[in-house]
Amino acid sequence: MRFLVTAYFLLSLCGTMTSVAISLHFAAHDGGAALISAILVSSACAQIFIAPLLAPVFDRFSARSIAIAATVCEVVLLGIILVVPIAPVLIGVSLLSSALAGLSIPALFTIADEYGDEKNQAATFSMLDTARLVGSFVGPVLSGLLLDIWSLRAAISVEIAANLIALAILLVLKQASSAPESDDDPKTQSFLARVLEAPALLLRNEQSRAALMSIWAAIIFTSVFSVALVFYAVDVLGAGGLGYAFLMQAFVVGRILGARRSKTIAPPRALAVLTVCGIIMGISIALTGILHNLIVAITCFFIAGICNALQVAALRLVITSAVPAEIQPKALSSMGSVNTSAMLVGYIIGAPIVTAAGPALALMISGVGTALLTALSPLVRNLRSRL
C-alpha cells in the first residue's frame, strides 16, 4: 500500500510540475495565453466527454491492468512532447493525457481499496488524497527550478522517470483479489448501456443523486473564486505576486490537512459532512470579499481548503457506497467528469463576473452561491419527505 501511495505522489508531483513548466515556458511567447487556455479547455473537455466513453473498459479488465496500460500510454505521450514540444502536439497530448487520467485515477483508488483496510475505506482514500495534494503543493516549486536551471525537456524527462517508477510498482503488485462478478455480462450489454450504467445507478440512489446535484451547482460558484483570486490579491489587497502565492498556498495547505482528517469520515455521515463543509467553505470565501485583509484572507482560504478536501473525500464515500463493488471504478470516473464539467462552467462565467462586479464582489458571489446551493439540496430533500 505504501508503494502505491508513493507512486501516486510521484505522478501527482511530476504531473503538476510539467503542467506548470509548460505554462511558464509558453507564457513568455506570443500567443502564450491562448495556448495555455487551449490546453486547459482541451483537458477539461477530455475528462467531460472522452473519459466517460472509456469507462466500459473496467467491465473487461482489472483495475491493475488498466492502470498499467494507462501509465505506459502516458510514457509514450510524454516521449512525443519531449521530442516535439510544439503547440499543436502539446494540446493533443494534453487532451489524451486527461482522458487517460479518467481511467488511471479511478483504477488507482480501486487498487488501493483492495489493498487497504476493508473496515476503513476513508483512511485508504485519505492516504491517496494526501499524497496527491502534497505532490501538487511541491510540484510548482520544482517546475520553476527546473525551468530556470535547465529546460522544459528536463521537467518532461523527470515526469517520464516518475511514470516508469510508478509502472514498476504496479507491475510488482499482485492482484489483491479477483475482480467481482457483475450480474450483467458486459458482452450482452450495448456500449451505450455500459457507458450509462454507473451514472444511472448514481442517479437512482437518493444520497448519491443529492450529493452530485448539490456539489455540481456549488462547484460552479467555487470555480469563480479561482478566477477572481489573482485579481483580488493584486488589485484589492495590493499584495502583489507574493501575496497571491501565500493565498494560493494557504488553500493548498488547508486541503492537505483536510485530506489527512478525511480518514475520520464514516460513510453514513458522508452526506452530512459534504453539506456542512460546503456551507463553511462558502462563508469563508464570502468573508474575504467583505474583509479586505491579507491575514484574514489567508485564514479564510486555509479553512476553505480544509473544507474542500473534506467535501471531495465525503463525495467519494457517498459515490462508492451507492454502487456495487464492480461498478465503483466507473462511478469514480463519472464523479470526476461531473466535477470537471462544473469547474469548466465556473471558469467560463468567472471572467465576466470578475469584470462586471470586481474581484471582491466576485468572491462574495462565489462564497454565497457555494453556501446557498450546498444548503439548498438537503432543504429540498427534507421538504419533499414531509409532503
Side-chain angles (χ1 to χ4, degrees):
M1 181 62 188
R2 290 181 179 177
F3 289 111
L4 191 63
V5 173
T6 301
Y8 196 38
F9 165 75
L10 288 173
L11 293 176
S12 300
L13 169 74
C14 295
T16 305
M17 182 184 68
T18 303
S19 176
V20 173
I22 289 172
S23 298
L24 290 171
H25 176 78
F26 284 98
H29 294 70
D30 292 336
L35 173 61
I36 294 168
S37 177
I39 290 174
L40 292 174
V41 171
S42 67
S43 297
C45 289
Q47 293 227 356
I48 297 168
F49 301 112
I50 300 176
L53 299 178
L54 299 177
V57 301
F58 285 107
D59 293 326
R60 298 184 179 275
F61 303 99
S62 68
R64 176 175 170 272
S65 298
I66 291 169
I68 289 171
T71 306
V72 170
C73 291
E74 186 69 24
V75 170
V76 172
L77 291 174
L78 288 168
I80 291 172
I81 60 173
L82 182 65
V83 176
V84 193
I86 59 174
V89 173
L90 281 166
I91 294 171
V93 166
S94 175
L95 187 146
L96 294 173
S97 182
S98 295
L100 287 172
L103 293 178
S104 61
I105 293 175
L108 287 171
F109 273 88
T110 302
I111 297 168
D113 196 22
E114 292 175 354
Y115 279 88
D117 186 354
E118 294 181 0
K119 298 180 180 179
N120 195 350
Q121 189 184 53
T124 300
F125 290 165
S126 170
M127 293 173 67
L128 288 178
D129 274 335
T130 304
R132 173 178 60 86
L133 291 168
V134 172
S136 300
F137 179 76
V138 179
V141 178
L142 290 181
S143 70
L145 289 174
L146 282 172
L147 206 60
D148 287 344
I149 298 173
W150 287 293
S151 64
L152 176 62
R153 283 191 168 92
I156 296 169
S157 299
V158 172
E159 187 175 2
I160 290 174
N163 274 272
L164 291 173
I165 293 171
L167 180 61
I169 291 172
L170 289 169
L171 287 171
V172 299
L173 281 177
K174 294 181 180 179
Q175 195 70 29
S177 61
S178 59
E181 294 293 330
S182 175
D183 293 335
D184 297 317
D185 184 351
K187 293 180 181 179
T188 65
Q189 292 180 294
S190 68
F191 174 74
L192 183 59
R194 285 185 282 133
V195 169
L196 297 177
E197 182 179 22
L201 286 172
L202 292 174
L203 291 176
R204 281 202 295 266
N205 181 279
E206 183 181 355
Q207 285 213 330
S208 59
R209 181 175 66 249
L212 286 170
M213 291 175 65
S214 170
I215 201 73
W216 193 85
I219 286 174
I220 292 175
F221 280 93
T222 306
S223 298
V224 174
F225 144 80
S226 300
V227 178
L229 183 57
V230 63
F231 301 102
Y232 175 76
V234 175
D235 298 338
V236 177
L237 297 182
L242 184 60
Y244 172 60
F246 275 122
L247 292 176
M248 281 291 295
Q249 296 301 64
F251 186 73
V252 175
V253 171
R255 292 182 72 193
I256 293 171
L257 180 60
R260 290 291 298 163
R261 296 300 304 163
S262 67
K263 63 184 177 183
T264 62
I265 301 174
R269 295 191 297 112
L271 189 57
V273 171
L274 181 70
T275 302
V276 171
C277 286
I279 294 170
I280 295 173
M281 180 179 176
I283 293 171
S284 299
I285 294 173
L287 281 175
T288 62
I290 300 170
L291 306 172
H292 304 162
N293 180 277
L294 181 61
I295 302 301
V296 171
I298 288 173
T299 304
C300 287
F301 289 146
F302 174 73
I303 294 170
I306 294 173
C307 292
N308 178 259
L310 290 172
Q311 273 193 301
V312 172
L315 177 61
R316 190 182 294 113
L317 288 175
V318 172
I319 296 301
T320 55
S321 300
V323 298
E326 67 270 16
I327 307 298
Q328 282 187 15
K330 293 200 292 184
L332 290 172
S333 180
S334 298
M335 168 185 155
S337 298
V338 168
N339 290 353
T340 304
S341 66
M343 288 172 59
L344 183 59
V345 173
Y347 292 151
I348 291 171
I349 68 172
I353 290 176
V354 172
T355 302
L361 186 55
L363 285 178
M364 288 178 61
I365 293 170
S366 171
V368 171
T370 298
L372 285 180
L373 288 174
T374 302
L376 188 62
S377 180
L379 290 175
V380 171
R381 193 167 64 254
N382 290 337
L383 184 61
R384 284 179 177 176
S385 65
R386 293 178 182 179
L387 294 178

